[in-house]
Amino acid sequence: MRRLKNIFRLGVKELYSLKRDLVLLILIGWAFSAGIYVAAVGRSADLHNTSIAIVDEDRSQLSARILQAFLPPDFKEPEIISFRDIDAGLDTRKYSFVLVIPARFEADLRAGLQPQIQVNIDATTIMQAGTGANFIANVLTQEIRRFSAERGETTSQPLNLVTRYAFNPNLDGMWFGSVMEIINNVTMLTIILTGAAVIREREHGTLEHLLVMPLSPFEIMMAKVWANGFVIIIAVAFSLWIVVEQLLAVPIAGSVPLFLAGATLYLFFASALGILLATVTRSMPQFALLFILIILPMMLLSGAQTPLESQPVLLQSFMRLVPSTQFVSFAQAILYRGAGFDIVWPQFLAVTVVGIALFAFAALRFRRSIATSK
């Protein structure tokens, strides 16, 4: 009971210290409010008011229907241009896409031939280029099929492919971006807060005050873990319920309390990592440089940005041992697909085991740093 009281009181002290740190408070507030909104809306790869032009050399009923098929808000109203204006329009980024419908396109199609439509794309915006190319191909296919069906004509199709998108039927990038930004911010902010708390003790000289008290390194570490973890969990709950569900209107399929329980287990690992980095460095600039070297590979390779399956097999095997990968896995399963505890318990267990091992190693390093301070 004495140890629990010490851990609780030291944690309250951490909360008071954080309350007086205006920079960290602003960082936390931004990261879980406006930062989530900006990441979801501003960095979306979806088509929105995309500029498109059409060179219509056919001037037929079908080409007119194709022209009318590109509607807002995905595209701006298509502009009719001549063939000689294509290069200038793409070079000046006036148009992102330019379609060239050749002469006799409709006549050749009705004659059973296979006429081609040329699509010119400004691929300097690579994500929009890939999305737009697929979108345009689908629009052209649908319009040609409808045109042929209205005239009782059939186009030879080896199969009728029906695609159904699960969990995100409209392929809205905002649904993915907002939740993934929260997941990334959990890792970053937890490491920063706990690491900064240890370095702040050393720089302000309060670590020596703690050393003369009847406190163990374990109690000092646990106090920093629960205090900073408590702040992060409150911020995550606010961000999910207010920013994501209310402001952005993104539906959460699974149980938010289950996700917060898993996030609490993950915070144990992230806090231990922050303390470990703080024992290696001696100042905030050193901590920041080491933090960048650690956090960037964790975020890029954890599956939050790119699929884990697209990585080399050896790298996949290594990253599956990293708790950040397990955190992303069960977070997506719970929040996107509505998974229950019976599905995500292996990830919960993996995060817990690695977190305890890292905490033990960080405690050893912290004890040695305290001995050096003495």
Side-chain angles (χ1 to χ4, degrees):
M1 289 300 297
R2 183 182 63 82
R3 281 199 165 193
L4 291 178
K5 288 181 180 179
N6 290 340
I7 293 173
F8 174 76
R9 289 167 180 168
L10 285 174
V12 173
K13 179 191 74 68
E14 291 294 330
L15 295 176
Y16 276 109
S17 298
L18 179 61
K19 180 182 177 182
R20 292 191 294 269
D21 196 328
L22 183 60
V23 174
L24 284 180
L25 288 178
I26 293 176
L27 179 61
I28 296 171
W30 167 266
F32 290 101
S33 58
I36 302 298
Y37 184 86
V38 171
V41 178
R43 296 199 317 221
S44 175
D46 298 333
L47 297 178
H48 185 71
N49 285 333
T50 307
S51 57
I52 185 171
I54 297 180
V55 179
D56 188 1
E57 296 182 340
D58 190 33
R59 302 290 179 176
S60 63
Q61 184 179 359
L62 177 56
S63 65
R65 292 183 55 162
I66 292 175
L67 175 66
Q68 297 172 0
F70 296 98
L71 303 173
D74 299 315
F75 292 93
K76 296 180 180 178
E77 184 177 352
E79 294 187 25
I80 301 296
I81 62 174
S82 62
F83 194 87
R84 63 176 179 272
D85 296 329
I86 295 177
D87 290 341
L90 291 174
D91 291 342
T92 59
R93 300 192 66 180
K94 184 177 181 181
Y95 310 118
S96 297
F97 301 93
V98 178
L99 274 65
V100 180
I101 304 177
R104 294 189 54 80
F105 176 76
E106 179 182 327
D108 290 345
L109 183 69
R110 299 183 67 175
L113 303 177
Q114 294 182 343
Q116 298 180 349
I117 293 180
Q118 183 184 80
V119 182
N120 300 275
I121 304 174
D122 177 10
T124 54
T125 53
I126 186 168
M127 296 184 67
Q128 187 183 59
T131 304
N134 293 330
F135 192 97
I136 291 173
N138 291 334
V139 169
L140 294 176
T141 301
Q142 291 175 6
E143 289 303 318
I144 291 173
R145 285 179 178 177
R146 290 172 184 170
F147 180 81
S148 300
E150 289 175 1
R151 283 156 180 75
E153 303 168 357
T154 59
T155 57
S156 58
Q157 296 291 336
L159 55 86
N160 182 24
L161 180 63
V162 178
T163 303
R164 294 184 175 90
Y165 297 101
F167 314 119
N168 188 359
N170 294 324
L171 298 181
D172 192 341
M174 187 170 62
W175 289 23
F176 181 82
S178 58
V179 175
M180 284 300 99
E181 188 69 13
I182 292 178
I183 293 173
N184 290 335
N185 288 347
V186 167
T187 301
M188 290 192 297
L189 267 298
T190 305
I191 296 175
I192 290 175
L193 288 181
T194 51
V198 174
I199 294 177
R200 185 170 53 231
E201 298 275 15
R202 186 183 299 119
E203 291 180 342
H204 293 175
T206 53
L207 185 59
E208 286 75 9
H209 296 170
L210 295 176
L211 296 179
V212 300
M213 297 180 180
L215 300 172
S216 66
F218 173 80
E219 293 171 354
I220 297 174
M221 286 184 59
M222 282 302 301
K224 298 184 184 303
V225 169
W226 86 255
N228 293 289
F230 174 76
V231 173
I232 294 297
I233 288 297
I234 294 298
V236 170
F238 167 83
S239 186
L240 279 175
W241 280 320
I242 304 301
V243 180
V244 174
E245 291 193 276
Q246 302 299 323
L247 187 59
L248 295 174
V250 176
I252 300 298
S255 170
V256 173
L258 179 61
F259 166 72
L260 294 178
T264 302
L265 297 177
Y266 177 73
L267 288 175
F268 193 71
F269 159 79
S271 299
L273 180 58
I275 294 174
L276 178 62
L277 297 182
T279 60
V280 175
T281 58
R282 293 296 173 183
S283 63
M284 280 303 298
Q286 291 182 8
F287 177 82
L289 290 174
L290 187 58
F291 169 79
I292 293 174
L293 294 177
I294 298 295
I295 196 65
L296 286 181
M298 283 180 58
M299 291 176 57
L300 293 176
L301 302 177
S302 64
Q305 306 294 331
T306 57
L308 189 67
E309 292 75 13
S310 64
Q311 301 171 13
V313 176
L314 183 61
L315 186 58
Q316 290 183 41
S317 302
F318 173 76
M319 287 307 300
R320 285 194 172 93
L321 301 177
V322 180
S324 60
T325 303
Q326 303 295 334
F327 178 48
V328 171
S329 177
F330 75 68
Q332 292 179 344
I334 294 172
L335 299 178
Y336 291 145
R337 299 186 288 274
F341 181 75
D342 58 321
I343 295 177
V344 299
W345 71 265
Q347 289 88 353
F348 278 34
L349 180 61
V351 168
T352 303
V353 171
V354 178
I356 292 175
L358 184 64
F359 185 86
F361 181 69
L364 180 61
R365 286 285 313 175
F366 187 65
R367 187 178 293 107
R368 288 179 179 178
S369 68
I370 288 179
T372 303
S373 300
K374 290 180 178 180

